[in-house]
Amino acid sequence: QVQVVESGGGLVQAGGSLRLSCAASGRTIYTVAMGWFRQAPGKEREFVASIRWSTGNTYYADSVKGRFTVSRDLPKNTKNMVYLQMNSLKPEDTAVYYCAAHLQGSSDYGSWGQGTQVTVSS
């Protein structure tokens, strides 16, 4: 199993920036990809961005392309670090942001963090 902890959320004005961090520990050697998702009140959870662990290839939802950047650090002490740099934030980016791990042997993301709140004021 992999344990995931997010941090870095907060309150920011529209047009501002935030950087979210995600620390994954445990059986991280089996990581296929790390992803960021978000869930706004009354809405379903949606994909935001992901990074393939072996290649570093990144993927983004259309709604955040050009504004958000997902990146990673090389593993240290078996802990994977993933970041989500969010620029030009909009009120519609307000949500709880979750980090998740996709491991080998699984068909989808299965290790989720507790989430971090991002609130963008207009």
Side-chain angles (χ1 to χ4, degrees):
Q1 268 292 2
V2 170
Q3 295 76 45
V4 176
V5 178
E6 308 95 336
S7 61
L11 174 64
V12 64
Q13 288 188 332
S17 299
L18 279 176
R19 188 192 194 208
L20 304 183
S21 299
C22 171
S25 59
R27 302 178 69 184
T28 56
I29 190 173
Y30 300 108
T31 301
V32 173
M34 295 293 295
W36 286 98
F37 298 77
R38 66 187 182 187
Q39 187 168 18
K43 295 187 177 181
E44 293 189 352
R45 185 169 59 196
E46 64 176 1
F47 169 79
V48 175
S50 66
I51 185 165
R52 297 283 294 188
W53 211 250
S54 60
T55 63
N57 290 347
T58 57
Y59 306 88
Y60 298 93
D62 288 343
S63 59
V64 306
K65 278 181 183 177
R67 300 189 298 122
F68 290 11
T69 302
V70 60
S71 62
R72 60 173 182 178
D73 281 346
L74 292 177
K76 295 180 181 178
N77 299 323
T78 73
K79 183 174 289 187
N80 290 347
M81 293 298 301
V82 183
Y83 307 96
L84 186 67
Q85 177 67 43
M86 305 185 294
N87 299 327
S88 302
L89 282 162
K90 305 174 181 179
E92 50 263 44
D93 293 318
T94 295
V96 177
Y97 283 71
Y98 298 90
C99 180
H102 179 194
L103 305 179
Q104 292 178 16
S106 299
S107 59
D108 205 345
Y109 291 89
S111 299
W112 294 85
Q114 81 289 349
T116 185
Q117 176 71 46
V118 171
T119 302
V120 184
S121 62
S122 57

